[in-house]
Amino acid sequence: MDWPHDPDGEEGSEGGRKYGLAILAKKLDEDEDFPLERDEFVEKHADDPIRINYKKVVSVDDIFEHVEPTEFETITDFHKGVGNAMRTGGFWDYHPVGENPEKKRA
């Protein structure tokens, strides 16, 4: 896929590789952007690349296909909703507790 910017470049990762939810959270201002409408966020960032791990990059739109809440009151609500969506969609590599013992742990 041709990304609107390099996911590892200055715009995508601020000079160093960042992954998943950390990249999504950097697109928000906790004081100014909440409450946040899911569809407005997706409309603005749908094609932005999100690095999932060292070899996989997906779009914001790919992740948000699995996000159920339509609005987030706080950044904590955003983290919870998007984190759940990333697990549901198979975009989450880190599993601290063993629902699946084959998954990586910290």
Side-chain angles (χ1 to χ4, degrees):
M1 177 169 187
D2 291 329
W3 301 108
H5 59 268
D6 176 2
D8 296 323
E10 284 298 318
E11 187 176 349
S13 65
E14 299 173 351
R17 266 191 181 176
K18 292 183 178 54
Y19 300 91
L21 195 49
I23 297 169
L24 290 166
K26 291 278 187 192
K27 297 178 182 299
L28 299 169
D29 181 308
E30 185 173 358
D31 297 324
E32 295 181 15
D33 292 335
F34 292 90
L36 176 72
E37 294 287 331
R38 175 192 65 201
D39 294 343
E40 289 177 18
F41 181 80
V42 172
E43 184 177 321
K44 185 175 180 182
H45 298 287
D47 293 330
D48 289 359
I50 304 298
R51 182 168 289 288
I52 299 300
N53 56 37
Y54 71 98
K55 60 184 175 181
K56 184 176 183 179
V57 177
V58 300
S59 70
V60 168
D61 197 42
D62 291 338
I63 293 169
F64 272 74
E65 285 180 17
H66 304 278
V67 173
E68 291 183 16
T70 59
E71 183 176 273
F72 305 100
E73 289 297 322
T74 66
I75 196 158
T76 301
D77 296 334
F78 179 84
H79 281 285
K80 289 178 181 178
V82 176
N84 286 336
M86 291 180 73
R87 285 188 271 294
T88 299
F91 301 114
W92 201 269
D93 279 347
Y94 172 69
H95 295 272
V97 184
E99 136 184 343
N100 179 351
E102 299 301 314
K103 293 282 185 175
K104 291 183 262 181
R105 296 202 172 106

